[in-house]
Amino acid sequence: HEVEIEVTSFFPLALAPQADDVAHPSFSNLFVQTEFVASLNALVAMRRKRSPADEEICGFHVLVVEQGDPGPIQYETDRSRFLGRGRTVSNPLVIFEARPLSNTVGSVLDPAFSLRRSVKLKAGETVRLCFATGVASSRAEALRLADKYHDKPTFSREAELAWTNAQVQLRHLSVSAAKAHVYQMLAGRIVYSTSTLRPSSRVLAGNTRTQMNLWAYGIGGDQPLVLTTVQDEKDMTLVRELLHAHEYLRLKGLSFDLVILNERAPSYFQSLQDEIQRQIRISGSKALIDKPGGVFLRRKDLIPEEDVLLLKTVARVSLRADQGSLEDQLKRKLFQRTLPTLLKASTTKNSYVEDALVLPDLEFFNGLGGFGHGGREYVVLLKEGQWTPAPWSNVIANSKDFGFIVSESGSGYTWSTNSRENRLTPWSNDAVSDPPGEALYVRDEESGEFWSPTPLPIRNNGTYLIRHGRGYSSFEHVSHGIKHQLDLFVPLEESVKISRIRLKNLGDKDRKLSLTSYVEWVLGTQRGASSPYVVTEWDAESSSIFARNPYNNEFSDRVAFATLITDECEYTCDRYEFLGPLGNLSQPAAMASEDLSGTSGAGFDPCASFRRKFSLKAGQEGEIIVLLGQASNEADARAIVAKY
């Protein structure tokens, strides 16, 4: 039978260097202006210059339907209209509520590209839709390219030309298709750092050096680093492969430092050193010797052991020349992580009578919020499906330069000493999705159902009552027969964030529950840059997780801590275990697992998660305290935990 299919593209726009976009995307996006060119069915975006020295850049996005009779084209360039407040690309508003695209262009504050076409398919029929996305140095050039790729035969012709060009490039570099595949595998390990090609957790945890210690060897430490060690001329195969891979990936646009460490004992004849130098000089990277994104040859006998360990710690990929070819080492390290045992939950879902919250009388109530407590609080009232137009944030800090931001969704981040350079948890600057880097979950241990006491990361039915006061924020919510009250604040004198959650069983049956806390460690400016170097450990004396980033130049000695105050609890410091493969905070793998594994150390994506299991009798109320902070050393961290 005939069907109608609707195809929608979507991606946010940056049109800026990554550093600018990461540092302050909301500000960077203010300079992007979008338009729709109807004659080409193309979206075009220009970045307005902030100074005459800025280079002009223009992006375009085109959709062509190669067969059939498609419906009218729809477009969207406002990310907030496409996703909707509090949503992500996994549940965008225009898809889940079957809304038409708004055809919005101009200065949209949060730019994106989205094109939509619907096509009718008869039984057995095939229709092809082709999207083209690109950038140019001017609007005129962008329109020329958009016109070129608006022509239907262009896609097939360009695909053939691209394939031909790729073959010519591979032949020029003397790279086979199989080798190119291996080099692409290496690129994946460089871009997404994992523990599989790095030293053991014990070795990584022993590093005490900072990024500045790399500078004595001409290595900046800002580029991703690949390290290989070699001891004998018979093991030069891997060195040649890495030099070849470095040239290939550099031509593809991936820049990284390749460090070759000569481990042969010093002697009068330096045959190995001379051979490595010769291989570098005849490689395609000879012009980048000792330059950023280039090749660095160093002798181990001239480097202190502490700095050798630093190189191994910083390297996203660490290889040994005597352990086989590059392909062998990449494949040998591939393995599937084992996640904890799944919770054996009842298949019967319980029904609960949800008691409505007692809603306060508010002054100047506007449908979402108003003033309460004699004007000393601003109270946000979110009923089902409601969101504030933008995150409504409270900044809470003390005179010790410690504080946190929390929005009405429960999202935010925590810092110590410096709110940009020493973030304990991540900040998103995303006014649409407002993704959290800290979260609390409550789980019914019998049914396996879980939820959060705040609107994010899991939005439940019912009402959320959020109070922002001077020095505190409070969240009230009723879900699954449990009343929650979460209070967040910092003491006046200590660098610690206190989260106090009260849970009350509103039903007439006893409940077996658990509370799970979660934070993503940053300990720097950005999680992606600092996470490979964060070391976590379980401190039995304070029953806390300690975390430090020895690679951080300014704050390497400081110790971050997290704990859930209880006599007995489970924990993990492995973000992969908590989220699972391709997981997210709205559906983390840990909330389906029986226990947390007790993993800590170095070399994996770091987090701090605790779980406490408990029972609440009918009508009973309980209280749990969660601490998050940072101190100048471990002794001070233990003292703060002990005090609170």
Side-chain angles (χ1 to χ4, degrees):
H1 59 277
E2 185 179 83
V3 296
E4 185 171 358
I5 303 294
E6 195 174 69
V7 180
T8 307
S9 66
F10 171 79
F11 55 91
L13 281 176
L15 292 180
Q18 184 183 11
D20 295 351
D21 184 58
V22 168
H24 205 322
S26 292
F27 177 76
S28 181
N29 288 341
L30 294 176
F31 298 89
V32 177
Q33 193 156 3
T34 62
E35 64 174 306
F36 179 71
V37 182
S39 60
L40 302 175
N41 284 341
L43 288 171
V44 177
M46 288 279 295
R47 172 167 287 280
R48 297 193 301 275
K49 292 185 178 182
R50 296 176 59 193
S51 72
D54 289 348
E55 294 183 0
E56 191 169 344
I57 184 169
C58 185
F60 67 91
H61 187 49
V62 182
L63 168 59
V64 176
V65 181
E66 293 195 351
Q67 299 102 1
D69 183 21
I73 194 166
Q74 300 177 35
Y75 56 89
E76 180 63 80
T77 63
D78 188 338
R79 178 171 169 266
S80 62
R81 289 175 181 266
F82 187 93
L83 295 181
R85 268 284 286 131
R87 293 173 175 263
T88 68
V89 290
S90 64
N91 60 343
L93 188 68
V94 297
I95 301 296
F96 274 64
E97 295 192 1
R99 295 188 180 187
L101 302 185
S102 69
N103 297 347
T104 299
V105 293
S107 299
V108 292
L109 302 184
D110 198 350
F113 273 167
S114 176
L115 291 172
R116 172 184 288 175
R117 263 296 182 47
S118 60
V119 292
K120 291 183 179 179
L121 292 171
K122 297 178 181 178
E125 187 180 10
T126 297
V127 171
R128 294 201 307 177
L129 299 92
C130 298
F131 294 91
T133 307
V135 291
S137 57
S138 67
R139 181 179 182 277
E141 177 65 11
L143 291 178
R144 186 191 71 80
L145 291 172
D147 180 55
K148 175 182 178 180
Y149 290 102
H150 185 255
D151 185 26
K152 294 180 181 180
T154 299
F155 289 92
S156 298
R157 184 171 63 252
E158 289 297 322
E160 292 176 1
L161 288 174
W163 183 87
T164 303
N165 181 69
Q167 302 309 306
V168 171
Q169 188 181 68
L170 292 177
R171 182 180 292 270
H172 172 72
L173 296 175
S174 298
V175 177
S176 66
K179 279 294 182 185
H181 176 65
V182 174
Y183 298 162
Q184 296 281 5
M185 290 172 60
L186 174 64
R189 299 301 208 291
I190 295 171
V191 176
Y192 297 100
S193 178
T194 67
S195 60
T196 57
L197 286 173
R198 302 182 71 201
S200 67
S201 178
R202 179 185 58 81
V203 172
L204 295 174
N207 175 52
T208 58
R209 299 286 194 171
T210 67
Q211 181 178 355
M212 290 189 294
N213 295 105
L214 290 174
W215 301 345
Y217 307 100
I219 302 171
D222 295 323
Q223 300 263 14
L225 191 148
V226 174
L227 173 69
T228 184
T229 57
V230 58
Q231 290 182 325
D232 199 293
E233 287 93 336
K234 65 181 177 63
D235 299 322
M236 287 296 296
T237 301
L238 180 67
V239 174
R240 287 190 288 268
E241 280 189 294
L242 286 174
L243 289 170
H244 213 180
H246 186 268
E247 180 184 10
Y248 172 82
L249 294 176
R250 182 166 50 83
L251 291 176
K252 295 292 183 183
L254 178 60
S255 179
F256 65 95
D257 293 337
L258 174 59
V259 179
I260 303 172
L261 192 61
N262 180 0
E263 290 189 329
R264 175 173 284 183
S267 65
Y268 183 78
F269 295 103
Q270 300 185 36
S271 57
L272 179 58
Q273 186 81 0
D274 293 340
E275 175 61 18
I276 298 174
Q277 288 177 337
R278 189 183 74 83
Q279 291 295 334
I280 295 174
R281 285 195 298 269
I282 65 175
S283 74
S285 301
K286 60 184 177 182
L288 292 174
I289 298 174
D290 291 348
K291 294 181 180 179
V295 181
F296 302 82
L297 172 60
R298 299 293 181 263
R299 286 170 50 185
K300 184 179 179 182
D301 61 295
L302 301 179
I303 302 177
E305 278 299 321
E306 295 85 351
D307 290 348
V308 173
L309 178 57
L310 172 63
L311 285 171
K312 293 180 179 180
T313 301
V314 172
R316 299 197 174 193
V317 175
S318 183
L319 304 167
R320 289 191 57 85
D322 58 357
Q323 295 294 314
S325 67
L326 177 60
E327 182 177 9
D328 290 340
Q329 296 195 50
L330 288 173
K331 290 185 175 180
R332 189 183 307 139
K333 296 294 184 178
L334 279 174
F335 64 91
Q336 185 65 38
R337 300 275 294 278
T338 302
L339 296 176
T341 306
L342 294 179
L343 176 70
K344 296 179 180 179
S346 169
T347 56
T348 304
K349 298 300 181 182
N350 298 321
S351 59
Y352 309 101
V353 177
E354 307 289 10
D355 286 8
L357 292 174
V358 178
L359 304 181
D361 294 327
L362 302 177
E363 300 179 76
F364 303 103
F365 184 67
N366 57 22
L368 286 174
F371 292 95
H373 198 49
R376 291 186 289 274
E377 293 179 338
Y378 195 82
V379 182
V380 178
L381 190 64
L382 296 181
K383 296 184 179 179
E384 189 170 342
Q386 284 187 316
W387 295 91
T388 55
W392 208 117
S393 298
N394 196 7
V395 184
I396 300 172
N398 60 21
S399 60
K400 300 299 182 182
D401 296 325
F402 180 91
F404 65 92
I405 290 177
V406 60
S407 72
E408 90 296 337
S409 69
S411 301
Y413 82 106
T414 304
W415 72 84
S416 178
T417 307
N418 188 304
S419 61
R420 182 187 184 276
E421 300 296 324
N422 193 34
R423 297 169 183 160
L424 303 188
T425 57
W427 176 57
S428 68
N429 193 217
D430 183 349
V432 178
S433 300
D434 195 18
E438 307 172 21
L440 291 172
Y441 302 87
V442 181
R443 183 174 74 180
D444 188 306
E445 292 296 301
E446 296 178 323
S447 69
E449 297 173 291
F450 60 92
W451 59 94
S452 58
T454 53
L456 287 178
I458 302 173
R459 183 65 185 265
N460 294 307
N461 298 331
T463 301
Y464 293 84
L465 189 64
I466 302 103
R467 303 173 185 269
H468 285 324
R470 189 176 179 184
Y472 67 92
S473 286
S474 178
F475 296 80
E476 294 182 51
H477 179 56
V478 175
S479 181
H480 296 77
I482 303 295
K483 181 180 180 181
H484 315 74
Q485 180 172 340
L486 173 63
D487 300 318
L488 308 173
F489 56 96
V490 297
L492 295 178
E493 299 298 329
E494 274 85 25
S495 298
V496 59
K497 173 184 177 181
I498 300 178
S499 303
R500 179 180 65 185
I501 182 168
R502 295 173 178 171
L503 303 171
K504 184 176 182 180
N505 182 358
L506 300 178
D508 55 4
K509 296 181 180 179
D510 295 353
R511 301 286 296 277
K512 293 182 179 179
L513 304 172
S514 67
L515 178 76
T516 303
S517 66
Y518 171 81
V519 300
E520 295 178 2
W521 291 121
V522 176
L523 306 187
T525 56
Q526 298 295 331
R527 190 182 65 82
S530 61
S531 62
Y533 317 119
V534 172
V535 179
T536 59
E537 63 176 308
W538 171 253
D539 184 68
E541 183 177 338
S542 62
S543 297
S544 305
I545 290 172
F546 285 174
R548 55 187 176 86
N549 180 8
Y551 192 61
N552 189 317
N553 285 328
E554 288 78 21
F555 306 100
S556 58
D557 295 331
R558 296 184 65 81
V559 177
F561 60 89
T563 188
L564 190 153
I565 300 178
T566 180
D567 294 333
E568 185 177 350
C569 66
E570 308 159 7
Y571 71 91
T572 185
C573 300
D574 187 351
R575 183 169 172 264
Y576 179 89
E577 175 192 334
F578 189 88
L579 295 181
L582 301 180
N584 58 70
L585 287 179
S586 64
Q587 198 71 27
M591 297 312 298
S593 65
E594 180 75 35
D595 304 300
L596 300 179
S597 67
T599 300
S600 64
F604 44 74
D605 204 346
C607 73
S609 177
F610 291 91
R611 176 177 294 158
R612 178 186 176 184
K613 299 175 181 177
F614 56 93
S615 298
L616 281 181
K617 296 180 179 180
Q620 185 182 7
E621 184 175 10
E623 177 179 289
I624 298 177
I625 306 290
V626 180
L627 303 181
L628 172 64
Q630 191 180 53
S632 56
N633 53 56
E634 293 185 357
D636 289 347
R638 293 187 184 103
I640 294 174
V641 172
K643 179 175 180 179
Y644 290 98

